Short mmCIF file of all heavy atoms in Angstrom, two decimals:
data_model
loop_
_atom_site.label_atom_id
_atom_site.label_comp_id
_atom_site.label_asym_id
_atom_site.label_seq_id
_atom_site.Cartn_x
_atom_site.Cartn_y
_atom_site.Cartn_z
N VAL A 1027 -1.58 24.78 23.17
CA VAL A 1027 -1.43 23.63 24.06
C VAL A 1027 -0.05 22.99 23.88
O VAL A 1027 0.61 22.62 24.85
CB VAL A 1027 -2.54 22.59 23.79
CG1 VAL A 1027 -2.26 21.30 24.54
CG2 VAL A 1027 -3.89 23.17 24.20
N THR A 1028 0.39 22.90 22.65
CA THR A 1028 1.71 22.33 22.38
C THR A 1028 2.81 23.16 23.03
O THR A 1028 3.77 22.62 23.59
CB THR A 1028 1.95 22.24 20.86
OG1 THR A 1028 0.92 21.46 20.28
CG2 THR A 1028 3.29 21.60 20.56
N ALA A 1029 2.62 24.49 22.99
CA ALA A 1029 3.61 25.37 23.62
C ALA A 1029 3.67 25.11 25.12
O ALA A 1029 4.77 25.05 25.71
CB ALA A 1029 3.25 26.84 23.35
N VAL A 1030 2.53 24.94 25.74
CA VAL A 1030 2.49 24.67 27.18
C VAL A 1030 3.20 23.35 27.48
O VAL A 1030 4.02 23.25 28.40
CB VAL A 1030 1.02 24.57 27.67
CG1 VAL A 1030 0.99 24.16 29.14
CG2 VAL A 1030 0.32 25.90 27.47
N VAL A 1031 2.88 22.36 26.68
CA VAL A 1031 3.45 21.03 26.88
C VAL A 1031 4.98 21.07 26.76
O VAL A 1031 5.69 20.47 27.55
CB VAL A 1031 2.83 20.06 25.85
CG1 VAL A 1031 3.64 18.78 25.77
CG2 VAL A 1031 1.40 19.74 26.23
N ASP A 1032 5.46 21.80 25.75
CA ASP A 1032 6.91 21.92 25.57
C ASP A 1032 7.54 22.59 26.78
O ASP A 1032 8.57 22.17 27.29
CB ASP A 1032 7.22 22.75 24.31
CG ASP A 1032 6.96 21.94 23.05
OD1 ASP A 1032 6.79 20.72 23.16
OD2 ASP A 1032 6.92 22.54 21.96
N ARG A 1033 6.89 23.67 27.23
CA ARG A 1033 7.44 24.43 28.35
C ARG A 1033 7.50 23.58 29.62
O ARG A 1033 8.41 23.71 30.43
CB ARG A 1033 6.56 25.68 28.57
CG ARG A 1033 7.07 26.66 29.59
CD ARG A 1033 6.66 28.10 29.22
NE ARG A 1033 5.32 28.21 28.67
CZ ARG A 1033 4.20 28.19 29.40
NH1 ARG A 1033 4.25 28.07 30.70
NH2 ARG A 1033 3.03 28.30 28.80
N LEU A 1034 6.54 22.70 29.77
CA LEU A 1034 6.50 21.86 30.97
C LEU A 1034 7.37 20.62 30.83
O LEU A 1034 7.41 19.77 31.71
CB LEU A 1034 5.06 21.44 31.27
CG LEU A 1034 4.09 22.58 31.62
CD1 LEU A 1034 2.70 22.04 31.82
CD2 LEU A 1034 4.57 23.32 32.87
N GLY A 1035 8.04 20.51 29.69
CA GLY A 1035 8.91 19.36 29.50
C GLY A 1035 8.16 18.06 29.31
O GLY A 1035 8.63 16.99 29.69
N MET A 1036 6.98 18.14 28.74
CA MET A 1036 6.21 16.92 28.49
C MET A 1036 5.98 16.78 26.98
O MET A 1036 4.87 16.56 26.52
CB MET A 1036 4.86 16.98 29.22
CG MET A 1036 5.01 17.17 30.71
SD MET A 1036 3.45 17.03 31.60
CE MET A 1036 2.61 18.53 31.11
N ALA A 1037 7.07 16.95 26.25
CA ALA A 1037 6.96 17.06 24.79
C ALA A 1037 6.24 15.88 24.14
O ALA A 1037 5.57 16.04 23.13
CB ALA A 1037 8.34 17.22 24.18
N ASP A 1038 6.39 14.71 24.73
CA ASP A 1038 5.77 13.55 24.09
C ASP A 1038 4.30 13.40 24.44
O ASP A 1038 3.68 12.38 24.17
CB ASP A 1038 6.54 12.28 24.46
CG ASP A 1038 6.78 12.15 25.95
OD1 ASP A 1038 6.61 13.17 26.64
OD2 ASP A 1038 7.11 11.06 26.41
N LEU A 1039 3.74 14.41 25.04
CA LEU A 1039 2.33 14.36 25.40
C LEU A 1039 1.46 14.46 24.15
O LEU A 1039 0.44 13.78 24.03
CB LEU A 1039 2.00 15.51 26.36
CG LEU A 1039 0.70 15.42 27.15
CD1 LEU A 1039 0.85 16.09 28.49
CD2 LEU A 1039 -0.44 16.08 26.40
N ALA A 1040 1.88 15.29 23.20
CA ALA A 1040 1.22 15.40 21.90
C ALA A 1040 -0.31 15.37 21.99
O ALA A 1040 -0.95 14.44 21.52
CB ALA A 1040 1.70 14.29 20.97
N PRO A 1041 -0.88 16.37 22.61
CA PRO A 1041 -2.32 16.33 22.82
C PRO A 1041 -3.10 16.51 21.52
O PRO A 1041 -2.71 17.28 20.65
CB PRO A 1041 -2.57 17.51 23.75
CG PRO A 1041 -1.43 18.43 23.54
CD PRO A 1041 -0.28 17.63 23.00
N GLN A 1042 -4.17 15.77 21.41
CA GLN A 1042 -5.05 15.89 20.27
C GLN A 1042 -6.18 16.87 20.62
O GLN A 1042 -6.83 16.70 21.63
CB GLN A 1042 -5.68 14.52 19.96
CG GLN A 1042 -4.68 13.46 19.60
CD GLN A 1042 -4.27 13.55 18.15
OE1 GLN A 1042 -5.12 13.66 17.29
NE2 GLN A 1042 -2.98 13.54 17.89
#
Side-chain angles (χ1 to χ4, degrees):
Chain A
V1027 171
T1028 302
V1030 175
V1031 165
D1032 285 348
R1033 187 149 38 79
L1034 296 177
M1036 302 187 289
D1038 49 345
L1039 196 148
Q1042 298 279 312

